[in-house]
Amino acid sequence: MKKITFRDSIRWNKESFMLFKKTPNQSLMLSLAYLFIFMLLPSMPMIQIFSIASILIWPVFLVFAVNFYKTHDKNKEEKFIAVFEKIKPRLPTLLTLGFICLIYAGMVTMVLNSEMQGFIQISEKNNELLTVMNNFVPMIGKLILLLLPLLMATWFSPMLIVYNNYSLFKSIKSSIAGCLMYIFPLGLSWFIFSTIAILFMLSCGLLIGSLALFFPAIGPSLMGAIIFFALLVITSVMFAFQYISYRDIFKSARSY
């Protein structure tokens, strides 16, 4: 690991966006694939079993996404087969990591199940925004706190498994250690990233709201399209940020 300063945390956000700008079309297609596999397919009534499979393969997809930005950061290109051949020897370990994520997510769901059900009932029966938000904010706060250990355990571990040839538990331990050692630069980067993302979404909302005054018929459709585009951009930049933070914190990633 190397020393990371607060200046680096600001640089991470800038470099993440620059990496996205380097390959915008491919980056958006990557985000589209991510949203389709991990959000759209699991929500379909007939194939909800895919929600389990999506969690299992999530670490594998993450390595593909990070590798995409890694190769373009080095001004190289790799075919899908070449990347898969790189991942293939470590595939059982990545799937085991996905299985651990599945168990942890199931435990979190069990802990918050009663609160989630209560929130759904309140949302259906109460139209007052303040009442709904008073129940929503505490639930989301608990969800974030419960998922934080999982986020730290998986932020670097898939890349450590493939690029650094770490064992499963060494990769998890090192990922948590890396997050804790650089919690302030990472936290600042996340704060900057989240703030920019929120402002971006708000700007899109204001733009569509203004257009809806002149074109009421297309307002809702345009709003959905713009928000979806914004979500694609945010997802792409997040993957780039994950690669860059890994690259700088774990120096061995540079020489792979």
Side-chain angles (χ1 to χ4, degrees):
M1 294 182 179
K2 60 173 287 189
K3 184 178 180 181
I4 304 294
T5 66
F6 282 101
R7 184 175 295 178
D8 288 312
S9 65
I10 298 173
R11 176 178 57 81
W12 284 345
N13 283 276
K14 182 179 178 181
E15 287 191 14
S16 300
F17 183 70
M18 295 305 295
L19 264 181
F20 167 76
K21 283 184 64 179
K22 203 171 184 179
T23 54
N25 295 334
Q26 293 170 288
S27 295
L28 291 175
M29 289 300 296
L30 178 68
S31 296
L32 184 61
Y34 176 81
L35 295 177
F36 179 76
I37 295 172
F38 298 98
M39 298 183 73
L40 180 60
L41 281 182
S43 65
M44 292 182 178
M46 300 300 293
I47 52 174
Q48 286 186 339
I49 188 66
F50 195 82
S51 61
I52 296 176
S54 66
I55 297 176
L56 290 175
I57 66 172
W58 175 77
V60 179
F61 185 94
L62 181 59
V63 176
F64 272 102
V66 169
N67 192 83
F68 168 79
Y69 287 107
K70 180 176 179 292
T71 54
H72 284 88
D73 183 37
K74 298 176 182 295
N75 296 314
K76 298 179 180 179
E77 288 191 10
E78 279 187 313
K79 294 183 178 179
F80 178 87
I81 296 298
V83 181
F84 180 75
E85 288 298 323
K86 186 187 300 181
I87 294 173
K88 189 176 178 180
R90 309 297 292 163
L91 193 58
T93 308
L94 290 172
L95 292 176
T96 305
L97 178 62
F99 183 68
I100 292 174
C101 293
L102 178 62
I103 294 174
Y104 191 93
M107 292 171 60
V108 170
T109 302
M110 289 175 61
V111 170
L112 294 179
N113 183 60
S114 59
E115 290 192 41
M116 290 179 178
Q117 294 298 326
F119 173 73
I120 292 173
Q121 292 177 3
I122 291 173
S123 302
E124 291 175 346
K125 297 178 180 178
N126 201 311
N127 294 324
E128 293 184 9
L129 179 61
L130 183 60
T131 303
V132 173
M133 290 302 295
N134 285 339
N135 288 273
F136 177 75
V137 172
M139 184 187 70
I140 289 297
K142 291 178 183 178
L143 180 63
I144 292 173
L145 287 175
L146 288 171
L147 290 178
L148 189 59
L150 181 63
L151 177 64
M152 291 193 297
T154 57
W155 186 253
F156 300 118
S157 54
M159 287 74 74
L160 292 172
I161 289 170
V162 174
Y163 297 135
N164 301 65
N165 203 32
Y166 281 14
S167 66
L168 175 63
F169 292 105
K170 184 179 179 181
S171 69
I172 292 173
K173 182 181 69 174
S174 299
S175 181
I176 294 173
C179 289
L180 291 176
M181 288 179 67
Y182 300 104
I183 191 167
F184 293 111
L186 283 170
L188 178 59
S189 291
W190 263 109
F191 176 76
I192 295 172
F193 179 81
S194 301
T195 301
I196 292 173
I198 291 170
L199 291 175
F200 183 48
M201 296 291 281
L202 287 174
S203 300
C204 291
L206 290 173
L207 175 62
I208 301 304
S210 301
L211 291 175
L213 293 176
F214 301 97
F215 308 101
I218 65 171
S221 300
L222 195 56
M223 173 69 83
I226 293 295
I227 289 177
F228 184 69
F229 175 76
L231 186 59
L232 289 178
V233 173
I234 290 168
T235 303
S236 298
V237 177
M238 182 192 69
F239 283 136
F241 169 58
Q242 196 160 3
Y243 157 68
I244 288 171
S245 61
Y246 164 72
R247 180 200 67 188
D248 283 7
I249 290 177
F250 293 91
K251 293 187 294 184
S252 56
R254 295 180 172 183
S255 58
Y256 189 86

